[in-house]
């Protein structure tokens, strides 16, 4: 079991615009031409921040058209938010606050022998990294620049902690980089 941050980013390192739009991403390729189908088949639970969850809420019609459901996941999800948010019908979601270390063991139990996916955002993935719980970064880089927006991974992490293990071209609009996280900080119980 691994805890993985699987994400798409612009060439200049942003996962969304300042107003949390992902429109820039959709013209760059199809999920079916990416590693997503294989990746999601190995995911047993997932975590996301409130901005990611709210994007799904705002785009429920588009999500439904693409996936056949307003909630695109069958796995249990933990949404990290300090605000009360509406629940999407048919979704297995727990809303949580606080330190990711306190929730990670629940996510592991729910995932069984599968992986945990940190869906987004970048700061949430950074919190898992800070706690020593992040095993992989799988970054799909799109051939677009945003100039500013929500950063991919707002942490200072230098080599040799991130070790590149593979590179894959996906059509003409995307490239995928896979990194293993080594020398992680120790996990302490809070």
């Amino acid at each position: 079991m691994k805890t993985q941050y699987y994400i798409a980013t612009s060439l200049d390192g942003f996962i969304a615009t300042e107003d949390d739009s992902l429109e820039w991403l959709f013209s760059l390729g199809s999920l079916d031409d990416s590693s997503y189908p294989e990746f999601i088949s190995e995911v047993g639970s997932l975590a996301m921040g409130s901005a990611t969850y709210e994007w799904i809420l705002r785009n429920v019609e588009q999500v439904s058209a693409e996936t056949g459901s307003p909630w695109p996941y069958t796995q249990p999800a933990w949404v990290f938010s300090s605000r009360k948010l509406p629940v999407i019908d048919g979704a297995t979601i727990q809303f949580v606050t606080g330190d990711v270390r306190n929730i990670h063991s629940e996510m592991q139990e729910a995932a069984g022998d599968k992986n945990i996916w940190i869906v987004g955002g970048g700061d949430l993935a950074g919190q898992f990294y800070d706690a020593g719980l992040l095993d992989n970064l799988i970054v799909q880089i799109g051939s677009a620049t945003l100039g500013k927006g929500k950063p991919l991974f707002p942490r200072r992490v230098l080599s040799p902690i991130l070790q590149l293990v593979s590179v894959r071209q996906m059509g003409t609009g995307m490239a995928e980089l896979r990194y293993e996280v080594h020398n992680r900080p120790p996990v302490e119980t809070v």
Side-chain angles (χ1 to χ4, degrees):
M1 171 192 295
K2 294 181 179 172
T3 300
Q4 301 176 307
Y5 181 38
Y6 181 93
I7 195 78
T9 182
S10 65
L11 189 58
D12 54 350
F14 299 107
I15 59 176
T17 63
E18 289 180 301
D19 61 351
D20 295 312
S21 173
L22 299 175
E23 292 302 316
W24 66 271
L25 177 61
F26 301 128
S27 65
L28 296 177
S30 166
L31 283 179
D32 293 332
D33 297 330
S34 74
S35 63
Y36 182 79
E38 179 184 354
F39 172 81
I40 196 68
S41 73
E42 298 173 359
V43 171
S45 65
L46 51 95
M48 66 179 65
S50 58
T52 303
Y53 182 75
E54 288 174 307
W55 183 91
I56 294 171
L57 288 172
R58 283 192 314 274
N59 294 278
V60 72
E61 288 180 19
Q62 180 180 354
V63 171
S64 291
E66 290 179 15
T67 67
S69 171
W71 182 246
Y73 309 109
T74 58
Q75 302 86 343
W78 282 256
V79 176
F80 288 78
S81 179
S82 58
R83 294 174 280 125
K84 184 166 176 61
L85 298 170
V87 177
I88 296 173
D89 287 340
T92 305
I93 300 172
Q94 293 186 48
F95 294 96
V96 295
T97 60
D99 195 313
V100 298
R101 292 174 287 193
N102 297 333
I103 308 303
H104 191 257
S105 60
E106 289 178 44
M107 295 177 67
Q108 284 178 310
E109 186 175 322
D113 62 349
K114 293 190 171 193
N115 298 321
I116 297 170
W117 176 21
I118 311 304
V119 180
D123 187 63
L124 182 61
Q127 290 175 47
F128 278 87
Y129 169 78
D130 293 343
L133 299 170
L134 189 62
D135 298 301
N136 301 107
L137 280 83
I138 304 167
V139 182
Q140 296 176 351
I141 302 171
S143 55
T145 59
L146 301 179
K148 55 187 172 177
K150 305 297 172 119
L152 167 67
F153 195 67
R155 298 294 188 275
R156 182 181 172 108
V157 182
L158 304 173
S159 185
I161 293 173
L162 294 180
Q163 294 187 355
L164 183 65
V165 294
S166 73
V167 177
R168 173 182 168 203
Q169 182 174 343
M170 298 185 318
T172 60
M174 302 287 282
E176 181 178 270
L177 307 177
R178 289 182 180 243
Y179 293 91
E180 288 182 353
V181 179
H182 293 274
N183 303 322
R184 296 180 298 167
V187 176
E188 297 177 19
T189 306
V190 176

